[in-house]
Amino acid sequence: MDRNLDRIPLQIGLLFSTEGPYATVAQALLNGAMLACRQVNADPALPLRLEPFHVNPRGRLDDYRAGIQAMLDRGITHVCGCYTSSSRKEVLPIVEKRDALLWYPSHYEGFETSQNVVYTGSSPNQHLTPLIGFLLGEYGRTAYCIGSNYIWAWESNRVFREGINRLGGQIAAERYVPVGETDLNPYVREILALRPDYIFNSLIGSSSYEFLRRLRRASAAAGIDQPRDMPVASCTLSEPELHAIGPDAADGQITSSVYFSSLRTAQNADFVAAYRQAFPKGPVACADAEASYIAIHLLARAVARAGGQGVAQVRAAVTACEFDAPQGPVRIDPDTMHACLTPHIGVSRMDCEFDVLIESPAPVKPDPYLVQWSRSMELPSPPSHLRIVT
């Protein structure tokens, strides 16, 4: 007898662009969500059967709007989706108007709350402010900022600039390029002329990959050991993207993130093994896959706790749920509807994995509006809520 026949069916939306300039990351997001759906459906403790409905907007904002409308018109009230902040901003008014719930599984720039969003990606105090303190303490005080020309980079660079300046550092230059732009030579030449202590990279997708390859080649031609003398740091670069960059520049990239696939926890070992078995062709496990995986597991637990899929009831129930995620325990902060997550900083290796340099000993409460600046904004050393990994 099929036990799933006795379960309550729940159709959920998955809104991820598996084509377009950030397709690699979006496919990882979709994979993480799909793996979680399978695990929920196989868990006898959860009395529901998730039925995922995927829409691929191909990175086009108009298609995000059409996609979310199509889902809501089908009666779907819970949607896990979006990677970029521009896509989230595009669908948010529709989600709010229709009183649905968006489960947003991406690190982002913060400065937003909505009663119709559960944020399972990291907030700026969980990735950006720790990185500022780390870079100032380890590499120097002069930064070069380059990003994709949309809200993620604008806001991330603003916070980065304010943090660096507050601690006596300076920004040599701040540049933006269109999403998907791959003609990065002018910026590489400028960087070599300015010779900053490090580069803060908020480019996404193909723009980021091409930039890192060109910077590494040009630096080598100029006799510069770029990873040592002029490292690139970001809050986005993940394991699948290291594979996309390729051997020319996969190593030496600094990332501040709440998850790396190399984390040594029992939960992560199980997650990575299950993920590899489910998706042998990749993209490999990463922070984006973990965030969507967390979102679906929390959604299922909240629906079960609420006894139904009503948005108000699920929103209230999710703050009482905790999930033992690959990175460690995760819960949703009832004040902000953002996740309490565990910050880490790592550096990439040639095998497209990360060595973890420092980590938080416990989950950090989200502060999406940076109301409380972390101590990393006051000390030119690794943040006090992080510890060095040996």
Side-chain angles (χ1 to χ4, degrees):
M1 180 178 177
D2 186 353
R3 283 186 170 184
N4 276 337
L5 293 177
D6 299 326
R7 297 185 174 205
I8 301 169
L10 174 62
Q11 192 171 51
I12 61 171
L14 302 178
L15 188 63
F16 297 117
S17 290
T18 51
E19 298 174 66
Y22 46 88
T24 298
V25 173
Q27 185 64 57
L29 284 159
L30 178 62
N31 288 356
M34 291 299 296
L35 176 60
C37 286
R38 296 175 194 178
Q39 291 180 349
V40 166
N41 291 346
D43 188 344
L46 294 171
L48 65 156
R49 183 179 71 254
L50 299 181
E51 299 176 349
F53 177 73
H54 175 230
V55 170
N56 171 21
R58 299 176 175 84
R60 303 167 185 161
L61 294 182
D62 287 348
D63 289 349
Y64 275 98
R65 286 197 300 272
I68 197 77
Q69 290 280 17
M71 290 177 177
L72 301 181
D73 288 346
R74 290 172 65 97
I76 294 173
T77 55
H78 296 277
V79 177
C80 178
C82 301
Y83 169 62
T84 64
S85 290
S86 53
S87 61
R88 185 190 72 255
K89 294 289 190 184
E90 201 70 24
V91 306
L92 185 54
I94 301 170
V95 170
E96 291 176 336
K97 182 177 180 180
R98 301 282 293 271
D99 196 26
L101 202 55
L102 175 66
W103 299 73
Y104 182 59
S106 182
H107 46 260
Y108 88 118
E109 68 283 348
F111 299 93
E112 178 184 291
T113 55
S114 171
Q115 287 300 297
N116 293 86
V117 183
V118 177
Y119 303 80
T120 64
S122 55
S123 301
N125 72 305
Q126 294 163 332
H127 57 246
L128 187 49
T129 59
L131 182 63
I132 293 169
F134 175 77
L135 292 173
L136 280 162
E138 295 293 321
Y139 293 103
R141 296 185 175 275
T142 302
Y144 181 101
C145 298
I146 184 168
S148 295
N149 193 19
Y150 79 112
I151 189 171
W152 155 254
W154 302 336
E155 285 295 294
S156 294
N157 284 336
R158 179 184 65 80
V159 173
F160 188 86
R161 182 191 333 117
E162 290 177 359
I164 293 290
N165 290 341
R166 182 174 175 177
L167 290 172
Q170 60 183 340
I171 304 299
E174 185 174 328
R175 303 289 182 253
Y176 296 95
V177 301
V179 174
E181 177 63 67
T182 55
D183 181 11
L184 286 308
N185 282 335
Y187 309 101
V188 170
R189 288 194 294 268
E190 183 177 49
I191 289 169
L192 293 181
L194 292 173
R195 290 296 300 270
D197 294 320
Y198 41 85
I199 297 105
F200 178 57
N201 173 24
S202 50
L203 295 165
I204 64 165
S206 53
S207 299
S208 180
Y209 316 151
E210 187 62 21
F211 168 71
L212 295 171
R213 287 190 291 260
R214 292 193 184 200
L215 178 63
R216 183 68 60 87
R217 287 197 297 266
S219 297
I224 299 170
D225 185 343
Q226 181 260 310
R228 185 192 67 189
D229 299 330
M230 204 167 47
V232 179
S234 81
C235 300
T236 57
L237 201 66
S238 63
E239 292 87 345
E241 297 181 292
L242 297 176
H243 287 275
I245 292 164
D248 287 351
D251 64 313
Q253 310 298 343
I254 298 169
T255 296
S256 181
S257 178
V258 293
Y259 174 82
F260 295 110
S261 62
S262 56
L263 294 180
R264 297 178 181 177
T265 69
Q267 292 80 7
N268 187 46
D270 291 343
F271 170 67
V272 171
Y275 186 96
R276 285 175 178 165
Q277 183 176 15
F279 310 106
K281 295 183 180 180
V284 297
C286 61
D288 306 287
E290 195 224 16
S292 58
Y293 177 81
I294 290 170
I296 298 301
H297 272 287
L298 285 175
L299 165 59
R301 283 155 176 75
V303 170
R305 188 180 187 92
Q309 62 176 301
V311 168
Q313 292 76 18
V314 171
R315 183 171 54 234
V318 74
T319 62
C321 298
E322 185 170 296
F323 177 55
D324 222 359
Q327 67 175 267
V330 172
R331 63 179 179 83
I332 299 299
D333 171 42
D335 295 329
T336 65
M337 298 306 291
H338 289 65
C340 298
L341 302 169
T342 304
H344 302 79
I345 294 176
V347 62
S348 65
R349 307 191 303 251
M350 188 59 75
D351 64 355
C352 300
E353 293 281 349
F354 283 89
D355 287 325
V356 179
L357 303 176
I358 58 176
E359 64 181 7
S360 171
V364 171
K365 183 177 179 178
D367 183 13
Y369 288 91
L370 293 177
V371 175
Q372 299 292 328
W373 283 101
S374 88
R375 286 185 58 82
S376 67
M377 299 301 295
E378 300 170 4
L379 299 175
S381 59
S384 60
H385 65 274
L386 298 177
R387 63 187 177 193
I388 297 173
V389 176
T390 57

